[in-house]
C-alpha cells in the first residue's frame, strides 16, 4: 500500500507545518515497515547469469528464501519457446518431458537442474517455480548464455618493404590475428618471456586484432602470442616475426619499393 500526501506548507502556521511533517514521517515509517514485512515472504528473483560451453555442462541452481520448505518444483525453458523440463513433487523427480532438452537434463536432490551436453542453440531464459508446504511460491529466473570453444587462432605477418636493398637495421611488421566463425571474442597480445610489453614500439589496431612491432637484429629471438578468448575459453598462437623480416630481406631486390609483403606465419609449437 502506498500513501501520497500533497500539502502546501508555505502559508501554514509553524505548529501546523510541524504536525504535517510529523504525519509524513509516520506514514513513511509505516510504509517502510510494511515493505519489510512483504520482503520476508517469497518473491520472484530475476537476472541471474549462467555461462556454459558447447559440448560441456551447466548447473542451474535453485535457490529459495531461507526457511522455505519446498514441496513442489517446476523447471521451464522460457525462451525462445516455453517448454516444461523437469518437476519434483514430494521428492518424486520427473524429467521425461518432450522438449529440445529431452535426454540432456538431470534434476538433483537439491532441485538444481543440470543440462548436458550443451548446444549453441541452448542459450535462453529458464525459470524454476518452488511451492512450499503452505502454498506460497518462489520463482527464480536465470539467463543461460552458451559459447563456442575458441579454436587456435591464425596469425599472418605483413612486412613493410622499403626500397633499400641492404639488410635492414629495423623491420616493421604487422601481426594480424583471427579466428573463423566465432563471435563474442576478445583479442590480446603478449611478448613471450614478459608479463607485458611497452607501447613505444608497438601499436594495436582493429580492437586488438592487429599488432604493429618494430624489430631490430637484436630481436631475432623475440616471439609474440596472440591470445583469443571468450567468457568460457581461450586459445593462442605464438609467432616469431623476425623470421619473416629475414625472409623478406632476401626478396627485396625483386620487391616493389614502399610496398607491403605478406607472410603467413607458421605457429611455434
Amino acid at each position: 500500500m502506498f500513501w501520497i500526501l500533497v500539502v502546501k506548507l508555505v502559508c501554514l502556521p509553524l505548529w501546523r507545518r510541524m504536525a504535517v511533517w510529523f504525519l509524513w514521517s509516520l506514514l513513511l515509517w509505516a510504509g517502510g515497515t510494511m515493505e519489510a514485512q512483504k520482503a520476508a515472504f517469497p518473491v520472484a528473483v530475476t537476472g541471474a547469469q549462467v555461462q556454459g560451453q558447447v559440448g560441456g555442462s551447466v548447473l542451474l541452481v535453485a535457490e529459495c528464501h531461507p526457511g522455505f520448505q519446498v514441496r513442489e518444483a517446476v523447471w521451464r525453458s522460457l525462451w525462445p519457446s516455453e517448454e516444461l523440463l523437469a518437476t519434483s513433487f514430494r521428492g518424486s523427480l520427473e524429467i521425461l518431458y518432450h522438449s529440445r532438452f529431452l535426454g540432456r537434463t538431470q534434476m538433483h536432490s537439491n532441485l538444481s537442474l543440470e543440462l548436458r551436453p550443451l548446444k549453441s542453440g541452448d542459450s535462453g531464459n529458464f525459470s524454476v517455480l518452488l511451492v512450499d508446504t503452505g502454498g506460497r511460491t518462489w520463482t527464480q529466473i536465470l539467463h543461460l548464455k552458451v559459447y563456442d570453444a575458441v579454436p587456435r587462432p591464425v596469425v599472418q605477418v605483413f612486412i613493410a618493404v622499403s626500397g633499400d636493398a641492404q639488410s635492414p637495421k629495423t623491420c616493421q611488421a604487422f601481426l594480424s590475428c583471427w579466428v573463423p566463425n566465432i563471435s563474442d571474442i576478445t583479442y590480446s597480445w603478449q611478448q613471450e618471456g614478459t608479463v607485458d610489453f611497452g607501447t613505444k614500439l608497438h601499436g594495436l589496431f582493429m580492437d586488438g586484432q592487429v599488432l604493429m612491432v618494430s624489430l631490430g637484429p637484436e630481436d631475432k629471438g623475440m616471439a609474440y602470442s596472440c591470445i583469443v578468448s571468450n567468457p568460457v575459453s581461450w586459445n593462442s598462437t605464438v609467432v616469431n616475426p623476425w623470421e619473416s623480416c629475414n625472409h623478406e630481406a632476401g626478396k627485396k631486390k625483386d620487391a616493389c619499393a614502399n610496398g607491403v609483403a605478406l607472410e603467413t606465419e607458421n605457429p611455434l609449437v
Side-chain angles (χ1 to χ4, degrees), residues 7-17 20:
V7 180
K8 294 183 179 179
L9 301 178
V10 177
C11 300
L12 293 180
L14 177 60
W15 68 271
R16 288 190 177 181
R17 276 184 283 172
V20 169

Coordinates of all heavy atoms in Angstrom, one line a residue, residues 7-17 20:
V7 N 0.8 18.6 0.3 CA 0.5 19.7 1.2 C 1.2 20.9 0.8 O 2.5 20.9 0.6 CB 0.7 19.3 2.7 CG1 0.3 20.5 3.6 CG2 0.0 18.0 3.0
K8 N 0.6 22.1 0.8 CA 1.2 23.4 0.6 C 1.6 23.9 2.0 O 0.7 24.2 2.7 CB 0.3 24.3 -0.2 CG 0.1 23.9 -1.6 CD -0.8 24.9 -2.4 CE -1.0 24.5 -3.8 NZ -1.8 25.5 -4.6
L9 N 2.9 24.0 2.2 CA 3.3 24.4 3.6 C 3.6 25.9 3.7 O 3.9 26.3 4.8 CB 4.6 23.6 3.9 CG 4.4 22.0 3.9 CD1 5.8 21.4 4.2 CD2 3.4 21.6 4.9
V10 N 3.6 26.6 2.6 CA 4.1 27.9 2.7 C 3.2 28.8 3.6 O 3.7 29.6 4.4 CB 4.1 28.5 1.3 CG1 4.6 30.0 1.3 CG2 5.1 27.7 0.4
C11 N 1.9 28.6 3.5 CA 1.0 29.5 4.2 C 0.6 29.0 5.6 O -0.3 29.6 6.2 CB -0.2 29.8 3.4 SG 0.2 30.7 1.8
L12 N 1.0 27.8 5.9 CA 0.6 27.2 7.2 C 1.4 27.8 8.4 O 2.6 28.1 8.2 CB 0.8 25.7 7.2 CG -0.1 24.9 6.2 CD1 0.2 23.4 6.3 CD2 -1.6 25.2 6.5
P13 N 0.7 27.9 9.5 CA 1.5 28.3 10.7 C 2.5 27.3 11.1 O 2.5 26.1 10.6 CB 0.4 28.4 11.8 CG -0.9 28.5 11.0 CD -0.7 27.8 9.8
L14 N 3.5 27.7 11.9 CA 4.6 26.9 12.2 C 4.2 25.6 12.9 O 4.7 24.5 12.6 CB 5.6 27.6 13.2 CG 6.8 26.8 13.7 CD1 7.6 26.3 12.5 CD2 7.6 27.6 14.6
W15 N 3.2 25.6 13.8 CA 2.8 24.4 14.5 C 2.1 23.4 13.6 O 2.2 22.2 13.7 CB 1.9 24.8 15.7 CG 0.5 25.3 15.3 CD1 0.2 26.6 15.1 CD2 -0.7 24.6 15.1 NE1 -1.1 26.7 14.8 CE2 -1.7 25.5 14.8 CE3 -1.0 23.2 15.3 CZ2 -3.0 25.1 14.5 CZ3 -2.3 22.8 15.0 CH2 -3.3 23.7 14.6
R16 N 1.4 24.0 12.6 CA 0.7 23.1 11.6 C 1.8 22.4 10.7 O 1.6 21.3 10.3 CB -0.3 23.9 10.8 CG -1.6 24.2 11.6 CD -2.6 24.8 10.7 NE -3.9 25.0 11.5 CZ -5.0 25.5 10.9 NH1 -5.0 25.7 9.6 NH2 -6.0 25.7 11.6
R17 N 2.8 23.2 10.3 CA 3.8 22.6 9.5 C 4.5 21.5 10.2 O 4.8 20.5 9.6 CB 4.8 23.7 9.1 CG 4.3 24.5 7.9 CD 5.4 25.5 7.4 NE 5.4 26.7 8.3 CZ 6.3 27.6 8.2 NH1 7.3 27.6 7.4 NH2 6.2 28.7 9.0
V20 N 2.3 18.5 10.2 CA 2.3 17.8 8.9 C 3.6 17.0 8.7 O 3.5 15.9 8.2 CB 2.2 18.9 7.7 CG1 2.4 18.2 6.4 CG2 0.8 19.5 7.8

